[in-house]
């Protein structure tokens, strides 16, 4: 297996193997595979970016397969694991701005305390259909946000938005987009 | 020939049986409690104007009289999963607990895997296996949509499944929801009746015996194996159990299902089966206005060992 990121300059150092799952190292000091995120970095990122802390995510294991795709898993697995999937895709690393997956945001995003934009019902329907929209009133961070709406008495995360230059882009994957009715507020 | 003809001697009310088999089935969804409660799903359906009826025997399962189970907000949030009523039975019979190690031997497209994960509060490990890589991608899509984090997905032939890629060497529970002749799904897909052949029944019965045997071997002493199909054919149901009883150290135990059921049959087409197959449950379409189903619960022999 080759390391698509170029990996280590040292031929004997372990490289990322895209055909299996490897558990993330605990800290950066434990890192053996170049470019691989550590568990602490992943936990810090969710806490810093969204305020989702270790009380929510600390019990989970994090695994990498393929270059930069991190999975969240709550069970027992051998390390490494030559299987098709472990838990669910969670976070894209090995790029300047890490990107949470839609399903991770749906699963854990209700615990977020910052960088959450709650859309009104008309905007929420446009967002889940994959439409980009102007959002000049947003005064929080740029970059990846959790996009939510009110449904059945509470806020619920829909997916990931990318906020740049006054515009909220929907990055809901094509297969998950849907034409859904505008809910009465 | 219509294969339903051959099952008429088994049913209590032939006319009701045949009439039910001719009626289409309503769309049904199961609440995914990993992400939402049945109350929240009901509230969301009401706000959105999605017609929904309770099924009566389970508070998290709803019939949608207008169909389109995937075209609403609860589905987009992963709060619901389209799954026929009887298809929810084997996971209930398996009764998995949080922290268990569970094997779903023929898992794609994942309705039962995700229900098992839900019943385990998404903790412990459910190993979802299927020999068909294409169908596994549907399973993975469903598991992600429903937010399941405790599943490992494997692509092996279940008949000689190896636990070597796993972190443990035995399961607490295993589900064999076996490939079968599927006449029980004729209300959803009438083509199954035209495609039915006796050769397929005999061929698939051999596969079923191989998978059930392997599941019993891979489960710890005292553990639970559930065997289920959506066929009425005794060759694929009671005969498979009879084979497992003779080949492996196990017994059939009673299973309480929240629907009207009939006992397994001990005689068919000149064959007789072990008396204990009567503890297996047959679900006929006219009894609960559902699809057809078969479900049995086995206890693996030997004295229970704590891990």
């Amino acid at each position: 297996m080759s390391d698509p990121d170029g990996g280590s300059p040292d031929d004997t150092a372990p490289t990322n193997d895209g055909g299996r799952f490897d558990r993330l190292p605990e800290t950066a000091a434990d890192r053996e595979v170049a470019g691989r995120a550590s568990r602490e970095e992943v936990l810090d990122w969710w806490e810093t970016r969204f305020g989702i802390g270790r009380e929510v995510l600390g019990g989970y294991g994090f695994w990498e397969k393929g270059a930069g795709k991190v999975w969240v898993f709550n069970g027992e697995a051998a390390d490494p694991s030559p299987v098709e999937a472990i838990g669910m895709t969670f976070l894209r690393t090995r790029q300047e701005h890490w990107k949470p997956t839609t399903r991770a945001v749906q699963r854990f995003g209700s615990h977020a305390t910052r960088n959450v934009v709650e859309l009104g019902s008309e905007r929420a329907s446009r967002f889940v259909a994959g439409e980009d929209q102007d959002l000049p009133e947003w005064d929080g961070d740029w970059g990846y946000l959790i996009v939510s709406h009110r449904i059945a008495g509470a806020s619920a995360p829909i997916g990931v938005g990318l906020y740049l230059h006054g515009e909220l882009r929907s990055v809901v994957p094509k297969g998950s987009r849907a034409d859904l009715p505008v809910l009465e507020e | 020939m219509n294969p339903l003809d051959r099952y008429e001697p088994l049913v209590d009310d032939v006319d009701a049986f045949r009439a039910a088999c001719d009626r289409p089935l309503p769309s049904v969804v199961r609440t995914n409690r990993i992400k939402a409660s049945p109350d929240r799903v009901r509230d969301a359906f009401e706000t959105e104007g999605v017609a929904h009826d309770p099924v009566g025997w389970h508070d998290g399962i709803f019939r949608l009289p207008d169909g389109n189970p995937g075209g609403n907000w609860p589905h987009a949030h992963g709060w619901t999963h389209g799954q026929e009523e009887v298809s929810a039975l084997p996971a209930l019979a398996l009764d998995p607990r949080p922290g268990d190690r569970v094997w779903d031997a023929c898992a794609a497209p994942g309705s039962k895997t995700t229900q098992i994960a839900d019943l385990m509060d998404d903790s412990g490990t459910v190993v979802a296996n299927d020999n068909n890589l294409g169908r596994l991608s549907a399973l993975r899509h469903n598991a992600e949509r429903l937010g399941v984090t405790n599943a490992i997905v494997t692509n092996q032939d279940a008949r000689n499944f190896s636990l070597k890629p796993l972190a443990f060497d035995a399961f607490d529970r295993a589900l064999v929801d076996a490939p079968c002749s599927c006449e029980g799904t004729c209300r959803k897909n009438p083509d199954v009746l035209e495609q039915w052949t006796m050769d397929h029944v005999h061929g698939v019965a051999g596969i079923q015996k191989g998978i059930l045997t392997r599941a019993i071997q891979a489960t710890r002493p005292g553990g639970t194996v559930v065997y289920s199909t959506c066929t009425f054919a005794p060759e694929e149901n009671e005969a498979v159990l009879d084979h497992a009883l003779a080949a492996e150290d196990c017994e059939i135990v009673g299973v309480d299902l929240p629907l009207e059921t009939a006992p397994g049959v001990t005689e068919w087409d000149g064959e007789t089966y072990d008396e204990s197959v009567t503890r297996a449950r047959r679900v006929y379409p006219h009894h609960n206005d559902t699809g057809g189903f078969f479900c049995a619960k086995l206890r693996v022999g030997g004295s229970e060992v704590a891990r």
Side-chain angles (χ1 to χ4, degrees):
Chain A
M1 286 286 168
S2 64
D3 180 350
D5 279 357
S8 161
D10 174 355
D11 283 349
T12 61
T15 54
N16 184 51
D17 180 341
R20 66 182 203 200
F21 288 87
D22 291 297
R23 191 189 291 273
L24 297 191
E26 196 61 33
T27 67
D30 303 316
R31 175 157 40 224
E32 291 178 0
V33 174
R36 176 165 289 163
S38 73
R39 175 182 169 77
E40 282 299 306
E41 288 163 346
V42 167
L43 289 169
D44 284 347
W45 185 85
W46 283 92
E47 183 139 33
T48 306
R49 182 79 197 161
F50 297 118
I52 302 177
R54 283 163 170 75
E55 72 284 359
V56 176
L57 293 173
Y60 291 88
F62 305 116
W63 300 70
E64 183 179 29
K65 184 188 183 187
K69 198 187 270 188
V70 171
W71 302 56
V72 58
F73 178 56
N74 198 24
E76 301 169 87
D79 182 19
S81 264
V83 296
E84 300 299 317
I86 278 184
M88 57 186 278
T89 56
F90 185 56
L91 182 65
R92 172 70 72 169
T93 63
R94 294 187 192 250
Q95 56 192 25
E96 189 184 349
H97 299 288
W98 289 6
K99 178 177 176 291
T101 64
T102 295
R103 300 309 181 183
V105 157
Q106 285 194 343
R107 177 73 168 81
F108 299 105
S110 60
H111 299 282
T113 56
R114 55 180 166 268
N115 286 324
V116 179
V117 54
E118 188 175 284
L119 298 179
S121 51
E122 190 270 334
R123 282 178 172 277
S125 289
R126 284 164 53 196
F127 178 83
V128 78
E131 226 180 277
D132 302 338
Q133 48 194 301
D134 289 335
L135 197 69
E137 60 269 38
W138 176 251
D139 59 1
D141 288 353
W142 286 28
Y144 293 115
L145 306 178
I146 294 173
V147 177
S148 68
H149 70 149
R150 301 282 303 175
I151 179 169
S155 189
I158 304 168
V160 179
L162 176 60
Y163 186 79
L164 293 169
H165 303 290
E167 186 189 49
L168 181 69
R169 299 184 190 166
S170 174
V171 295
V172 174
K174 284 206 173 65
S176 302
R177 293 178 188 171
D179 288 316
L180 296 174
V182 175
L183 296 175
E184 274 178 44
E185 294 195 55
Chain B
M1 122 197 203
N2 185 332
L4 297 176
D5 296 346
R6 70 196 293 264
Y7 307 120
E8 290 190 350
L10 298 178
V11 298
D12 55 344
D13 183 339
V14 169
D15 291 342
F17 170 66
R18 296 304 290 254
C21 288
D22 283 342
R23 285 197 300 272
L25 267 187
S27 285
V28 175
V29 297
R30 168 177 61 81
T31 302
N32 171 37
R33 289 174 208 244
I34 293 172
K35 285 183 158 181
S37 65
D39 281 348
R40 199 162 187 211
V41 169
R42 194 181 304 111
D43 281 359
F45 279 154
E46 272 159 26
T47 314
E48 194 176 337
V50 177
H52 59 287
D53 299 317
V55 294
W57 60 273
H58 191 292
D59 71 343
I61 299 180
F62 301 95
R63 294 183 177 182
L64 304 187
D66 299 334
N68 197 16
N72 52 60
W73 277 103
H75 181 271
H77 281 293
W79 295 356
T80 57
H81 180 67
Q83 180 176 5
E84 217 269 290
E85 282 176 59
V86 284
S87 161
L89 296 176
L92 297 175
L94 191 67
D95 194 21
R97 312 295 164 86
D100 273 353
R101 296 160 174 170
V102 179
W103 186 33
D104 190 353
C106 316
S111 296
K112 296 162 189 93
T113 303
T114 54
Q115 185 187 4
I116 288 167
D118 180 342
L119 292 169
M120 294 165 77
D121 290 339
D122 199 25
S123 76
T125 307
V126 54
V127 177
N129 178 72
D130 205 277
N131 69 345
N132 183 322
L133 203 55
R135 280 164 54 86
L136 273 186
S137 77
L139 180 149
R140 286 177 50 184
H141 176 85
N142 284 324
E144 296 234 333
R145 194 177 62 77
L146 299 175
V148 172
T149 69
N150 73 338
I152 287 179
V153 178
T154 60
N155 179 214
Q156 295 189 36
D157 182 334
R159 290 172 290 184
N160 38 45
F161 184 83
S162 165
L163 282 82
K164 230 177 142 191
L166 306 178
F168 43 81
D169 55 14
F171 293 103
D172 299 306
R173 294 166 206 269
L175 170 62
V176 177
D177 183 51
C180 70
S181 295
C182 300
E183 312 96 321
T185 65
C186 64
R187 300 181 62 183
K188 204 166 57 181
N189 178 17
D191 292 348
V192 296
L193 300 178
E194 280 159 37
Q195 291 155 3
W196 188 95
T197 68
M198 201 61 225
D199 278 351
H200 180 255
V201 171
H202 290 308
V204 82
I207 295 169
Q208 292 158 344
K209 287 170 185 168
I211 300 173
L212 179 56
T213 303
R214 183 67 194 120
I216 295 164
Q217 294 162 354
T219 301
R220 65 165 170 81
T224 298
V225 176
V226 166
Y227 179 75
S228 61
T229 70
C230 51
T231 177
F232 304 114
E235 294 91 338
E236 300 180 46
N237 292 327
E238 289 87 350
V240 175
L241 297 176
D242 189 71
H243 172 87
L245 291 171
E248 299 294 329
D249 184 8
C250 64
E251 60 179 328
I252 302 174
V253 295
V255 51
D256 274 333
L257 297 178
L259 288 175
E260 184 184 343
T261 61
V265 299
T266 54
E267 288 178 47
W268 174 254
D269 200 22
E271 304 280 323
T272 58
Y273 309 125
D274 189 279
E275 191 60 31
S276 68
V277 302
T278 55
R279 293 177 187 151
R281 309 316 305 171
R282 290 182 154 259
V283 182
Y284 291 110
H286 58 295
H287 283 162
N288 310 278
D289 197 18
T290 62
F293 213 70
F294 180 87
C295 187
K297 185 170 182 171
L298 295 91
R299 181 189 181 279
V300 177
S303 40
E304 207 145 332
V305 207
R307 56 161 144 101

